[in-house]
Amino acid sequence: MSVTIKDIARIANLSHSSVSRALNNSNLVNEETIKKVKLIASELGYIPNYSAKGLSLNKSFNIGLFFPTLYEGTSAYFFYEAMQAVMKVIKNEYKLVIANVDDYKEAKYINKRNFDGIILVSQSCRDDFFINKILENEIPLVVLNRYVNSYRVNNIISDDRQGVCRAIEYLIENGHKKIAFIEGKEGLEPAKERKEGYFDAFLNNDIQLRKDYIVKGEYNIHSGYVAMQKILTVSDLPTAVFCSNDEMAAGALKAIYEKGLKVPGDISVVGFDNSIISSFSSPSLTTVNKPIKQMSTKGAEKILQIINSNVNEVETLYIKTDLVIRESVKSLI
Amino acid sequence: MSVTIKDIARIANLSHSSVSRALNNSNLVNEETIKKVKLIASELGYIPNYSAKGLSLNKSFNIGLFFPTLYEGTSAYFFYEAMQAVMKVIKNEYKLVIANVDDYKEAKYINKRNFDGIILVSQSCRDDFFINKILENEIPLVVLNRYVNSYRVNNIISDDRQGVCRAIEYLIENGHKKIAFIEGKEGLEPAKERKEGYFDAFLNNDIQLRKDYIVKGEYNIHSGYVAMQKILTVSDLPTAVFCSNDEMAAGALKAIYEKGLKVPGDISVVGFDNSIISSFSSPSLTTVNKPIKQMSTKGAEKILQIINSNVNEVETLYIKTDLVIRESVKSLI
DNA sequence: TAAAGTATTGCAACCGTGTGCAAGAGTGTG
DNA sequence: CACACTCTTGCACACGGTTGCAATACTTTA
């Protein structure tokens, strides 16, 4: 049996109400009393019962970090970064509860009473049903990583499109014109955005798009490998390849090496994410930095702010991506 | 305001006690009543208040997954694998709360009432104070990844030592005798175990150890790079290098390439963990598979079993590692 | 038909904490 | 000295569930 405020009250010769007030620094209580109570509490090793606190305060002390179908699409790296960032912000004030959207398909257990706030990492509109559930329940919500077209949703997204456009233009600046593109997973918003960025750069620079330089991928290493193999069958080989994420870039590297070609000597490669993989690989990858940590930090801060102020001024935050230049691009000029 | 059992009771013309029993399938309640209550509950979209449930049942519905100092030492990959595995086991019965040991240094908020069970991923005896706190509080505990010398602690560990020994012997079978070793982070138990495995193999095969072939590392890519550079200064170069994890192996690859040497042509490389990196790299790495998923699954199952049966038969489980043969080792025979 | 047994339900207390309101003690004012 | 005021405390109820026990209705048995 753990120590409760009643135990403290007995020893301090007070009512449990006064003890409760003292522990919460209420100014209704004598300063001396507060000191005494806190001393006894720490001597007894008192730890509040959060179920009781929650029941009485109508809170849960839980912040949910939800991922879409964990079993595909979310990289370990994204996961790790996001979690760490959120954890740092919420500290011990709240517990960080990890869950995936799929397990809560019927939203059976989601409730304002069981989650004080939810941060959702979203990849596609398949999560919209979930978002609606959360909104219905009036739980503070922040959606990361995908633009949600709703005036009711706090949204924090990175500018993937512009990031890719910048990366492609960097290639162009370096004399590349024959630039292939490996797409991300079909149906995922950020994948579409990245493709748009590729188109933007070609439009801006009056370069003709080539259908045979655009190949589908699945975001995993194997798909990058296969996609690159396909690109390498084109008779007029590209001088550079943009891969919609770093993992696929790693796969692409492999396919290029197997063909006996060199990176960046024969073909330049650019990735996206600035994940650890991009610095692991040889050569290290020039890549677009996706500020996952920053996005997640902002998201967590926003959630806390909503909870604490009880005001939800819905906003959409864009966080800039930037190009990380490493060794995988050769200048043709 | 959410729906409560009292709302259901009012509509069903019952007392809230009967509703509670009905929702819990008590056999004290008429079957018809149960059906009626459940129907109303689902129509109203009733979701139990876990704070209230917890308060009355003396439970928290939280399972804690604790990591040691997240900011170093634990790889994103380990993290991801462990979390997914645990999540799959506990499903919706419990919430998965992620935390790191450091944030709970004074164990301020840890309590039998706030955690129904804790799974700790441990790397070194620096976590022992934490383990003791948990034991004091009589919270069901499973420690993963590091052997804890205590008859009170459930322990699930992989046989790293034997795994490394096997890997080294595989090199020996392939004609290697000059085998360097890059150590893991100093002070971490699994790192020591892996080193012992290296020694074991040398002893078993009557090969002389060489001091200049053993170099310290820090488990991250950069340290692997630096360590390998150091090894490459030895006049009599080794024909193979064992790296205590895959990340350092990636660093080592880089150092080798920069020296103008080939893998596995000039030097063979073996890693440890079978992390994604090992299949990304070129060449793909021969590595020791650490069954993180399996360990975590077992750990979660054990926790649930203790909670449900209220019996804690302390046990230590060894899970076998195995060698994954890929492309980074050359046969010298 | 009365007694005993069983099935079903409600009452009331409890889990640990927070809080509105009343009450008491102490202080200051005219 | 009476009154008003402030400071501090305790009482009692609330939060939303669970559960022991009593009460009622119904069934079975002799």
Side-chain angles (χ1 to χ4, degrees):
Chain A
M1 283 276 291
S2 340
V3 180
T4 73
I5 54 170
K6 291 185 183 173
D7 298 320
I8 300 176
R10 202 174 310 120
I11 294 178
N13 242 324
L14 282 167
S15 69
H16 77 276
S17 354
S18 292
V19 173
S20 170
R21 290 197 183 95
L23 291 173
N24 290 310
N25 297 309
S26 159
N27 53 8
L28 287 177
V29 188
N30 187 310
E31 293 243 348
E32 290 301 312
T33 312
I34 294 188
K35 274 185 198 160
K36 187 173 74 177
V37 166
K38 288 195 170 174
L39 183 66
I40 296 176
S42 83
E43 274 174 355
L44 294 183
Y46 168 74
I47 295 168
N49 179 326
Y50 282 91
S51 293
K53 264 183 118 89
L55 179 57
S56 152
L57 293 174
N58 196 16
K59 281 189 84 164
S60 67
F61 298 97
N62 288 330
I63 301 273
L65 181 58
F66 280 72
F67 289 87
T69 323
L70 273 178
Y71 314 106
E72 43 166 304
T74 312
S75 73
Y77 174 69
F78 195 122
F79 206 83
Y80 185 72
E81 288 286 311
M83 188 148 5
Q84 280 200 41
V86 173
M87 212 148 54
K88 256 191 179 162
V89 174
I90 68 174
K91 306 222 169 168
N92 281 326
E93 272 185 274
Y94 293 89
K95 296 203 189 77
L96 175 61
V97 175
I98 304 293
N100 71 59
V101 171
D102 287 352
D103 283 350
Y104 285 75
K105 262 218 167 93
E106 311 103 35
K108 241 186 187 166
Y109 303 95
I110 296 189
N111 193 322
K112 194 162 185 167
R113 291 220 156 85
N114 299 329
F115 286 100
D116 292 338
I118 288 180
I119 300 171
L120 170 67
V121 176
S122 179
Q123 298 261 35
S124 80
C125 57
R126 272 181 291 171
D127 303 325
D128 282 353
F129 80 93
F130 182 80
I131 294 176
N132 288 327
K133 280 278 174 194
I134 306 301
L135 289 176
E136 271 175 36
N137 280 282
E138 293 179 337
I139 305 176
L141 170 70
V142 172
V143 177
L144 303 186
N145 198 45
R146 177 178 71 94
Y147 176 67
V148 180
N149 190 7
S150 161
Y151 64 99
R152 298 163 68 199
V153 173
N154 286 290
N155 215 185
I156 302 182
I157 47 193
S158 62
D159 199 342
D160 290 19
R161 180 169 176 170
Q162 197 203 299
V164 174
C165 179
R166 173 79 197 93
I168 302 290
E169 290 190 331
Y170 169 75
L171 286 168
I172 295 171
E173 286 162 18
N174 277 278
H176 294 272
K177 287 197 169 173
K178 297 192 284 181
I179 305 168
F181 184 80
I182 301 181
E183 298 183 44
K185 190 158 189 155
E186 197 159 7
L188 303 192
E189 274 307 323
K192 284 185 210 160
E193 288 290 313
R194 293 174 201 182
K195 196 171 175 184
E196 291 295 328
Y198 174 73
F199 291 159
D200 290 348
F202 272 63
L203 270 175
N204 294 347
N205 292 272
D206 265 334
I207 303 180
Q208 190 68 35
L209 282 167
R210 287 180 54 159
K211 226 178 174 178
D212 53 352
Y213 280 178
I214 302 177
V215 183
K216 288 192 194 302
E218 296 275 325
Y219 270 154
N220 59 45
I221 183 176
H222 184 251
S223 72
Y225 176 77
V226 172
M228 192 66 219
Q229 281 184 324
K230 194 170 170 194
I231 292 171
L232 291 170
T233 62
V234 178
S235 57
D236 183 18
L237 283 185
T239 61
V241 187
F242 180 89
C243 308
S244 290
N245 75 355
D246 289 338
E247 297 199 16
M248 292 196 299
L253 285 182
K254 203 156 197 186
I256 296 172
Y257 291 146
E258 283 187 10
K259 189 87 176 184
L261 300 174
K262 289 193 172 172
V263 176
D266 300 308
I267 297 185
S268 295
V269 175
V270 177
F272 192 105
D273 272 350
N274 192 23
S275 69
I276 315 177
I277 299 152
S278 63
S279 53
F280 276 153
S281 63
S282 14
S284 59
L285 283 176
T286 290
T287 185
V288 179
N289 178 48
K290 176 145 186 160
I292 302 172
K293 192 178 287 186
Q294 208 184 334
M295 287 167 59
S296 313
T297 301
K298 291 265 180 207
E301 286 168 355
K302 179 74 185 177
I303 281 285
L304 288 192
Q305 182 213 308
I306 299 172
I307 295 174
N308 293 330
S309 70
N310 234 326
V311 180
N312 187 351
E313 283 183 10
V314 175
E315 58 180 343
T316 295
L317 237 67
Y318 284 83
I319 301 200
K320 280 209 171 167
T321 54
D322 55 296
L323 192 64
V324 180
I325 297 173
R326 295 214 184 85
E327 310 165 340
S328 60
V329 173
K330 178 184 172 188
S331 170
L332 301 182
I333 307 174
Chain B
M1 281 276 291
S2 340
V3 180
T4 72
I5 53 169
K6 290 184 184 171
D7 298 321
I8 300 176
R10 203 174 312 119
I11 294 177
N13 242 323
L14 282 168
S15 68
H16 73 279
S17 357
S18 292
V19 173
S20 169
R21 290 196 185 96
L23 291 173
N24 291 309
N25 296 311
S26 159
N27 54 7
L28 287 177
V29 188
N30 186 311
E31 294 243 349
E32 291 301 312
T33 312
I34 294 188
K35 274 186 199 159
K36 186 173 73 177
V37 166
K38 287 195 172 175
L39 182 66
I40 298 176
S42 84
E43 273 173 357
L44 294 182
Y46 168 74
I47 295 169
N49 179 326
Y50 282 91
S51 293
K53 262 183 119 90
L55 180 57
S56 120
L57 293 174
N58 196 17
K59 280 189 84 163
S60 66
F61 299 96
N62 288 330
I63 301 273
L65 180 58
F66 280 72
F67 288 86
T69 323
L70 273 177
Y71 314 107
E72 43 166 304
T74 312
S75 73
Y77 174 68
F78 196 120
F79 206 83
Y80 185 72
E81 288 285 311
M83 188 148 5
Q84 280 201 41
V86 173
M87 212 149 52
K88 254 190 181 164
V89 174
I90 67 174
K91 306 218 169 171
N92 281 326
E93 273 186 89
Y94 292 90
K95 297 204 188 76
L96 175 61
V97 176
I98 304 293
N100 71 58
V101 171
D102 288 352
D103 283 351
Y104 285 75
K105 260 214 169 100
E106 311 103 34
K108 242 186 186 165
Y109 304 94
I110 296 191
N111 192 323
K112 193 160 186 169
R113 291 219 157 86
N114 299 328
F115 285 100
D116 291 338
I118 287 180
I119 300 172
L120 170 67
V121 176
S122 180
Q123 298 261 35
S124 80
C125 57
R126 272 181 293 171
D127 304 325
D128 282 353
F129 80 94
F130 182 80
I131 294 176
N132 287 327
K133 281 277 175 195
I134 305 302
L135 289 177
E136 272 175 36
N137 280 283
E138 293 178 336
I139 304 175
L141 170 71
V142 172
V143 178
L144 303 185
N145 198 45
R146 177 178 71 95
Y147 176 67
V148 180
N149 190 6
S150 160
Y151 63 98
R152 297 163 67 201
V153 173
N154 286 290
N155 214 185
I156 301 182
I157 48 194
S158 62
D159 200 343
D160 290 18
R161 181 170 175 170
Q162 196 204 300
V164 174
C165 179
R166 173 77 198 93
I168 303 288
E169 290 190 332
Y170 168 74
L171 287 168
I172 295 172
E173 287 162 16
N174 277 279
H176 294 272
K177 286 195 171 175
K178 297 193 283 182
I179 305 168
F181 184 81
I182 301 180
E183 299 182 44
K185 191 158 188 155
E186 197 160 8
L188 304 191
E189 275 307 324
K192 284 185 209 158
E193 288 289 314
R194 294 174 201 183
K195 197 172 174 184
E196 292 294 329
Y198 174 72
F199 291 159
D200 289 349
F202 273 63
L203 270 175
N204 294 347
N205 292 273
D206 265 334
I207 304 179
Q208 191 68 35
L209 282 166
R210 287 180 54 160
K211 227 179 174 178
D212 52 353
Y213 279 178
I214 302 178
V215 183
K216 289 191 194 304
E218 296 275 326
Y219 270 153
N220 59 45
I221 182 176
H222 185 250
S223 72
Y225 177 76
V226 173
M228 193 65 219
Q229 282 183 323
K230 195 170 169 194
I231 291 171
L232 291 170
T233 62
V234 178
S235 58
D236 183 19
L237 284 184
T239 60
V241 188
F242 179 90
C243 307
S244 291
N245 75 356
D246 289 339
E247 297 200 16
M248 293 197 300
L253 285 181
K254 201 155 200 184
I256 296 172
Y257 292 146
E258 283 186 11
K259 189 88 175 185
L261 300 174
K262 291 193 170 172
V263 177
D266 301 308
I267 297 185
S268 295
V269 176
V270 177
F272 192 107
D273 271 351
N274 191 23
S275 69
I276 313 178
I277 300 153
S278 62
S279 52
F280 277 152
S281 63
S282 17
S284 58
L285 283 176
T286 290
T287 186
V288 178
N289 177 48
K290 176 145 186 160
I292 301 172
K293 191 178 286 186
Q294 207 185 335
M295 287 167 61
S296 312
T297 301
K298 291 264 179 208
E301 286 168 354
K302 179 74 186 177
I303 282 286
L304 288 192
Q305 181 213 309
I306 298 172
I307 294 174
N308 293 330
S309 70
N310 233 326
V311 180
N312 187 350
E313 281 182 13
V314 175
E315 59 180 342
T316 295
L317 236 67
Y318 285 84
I319 302 202
K320 280 209 171 167
T321 54
D322 56 296
L323 192 64
V324 179
I325 296 173
R326 294 212 183 86
E327 311 166 338
S328 61
V329 172
K330 178 185 173 189
S331 172
L332 301 181
I333 307 173

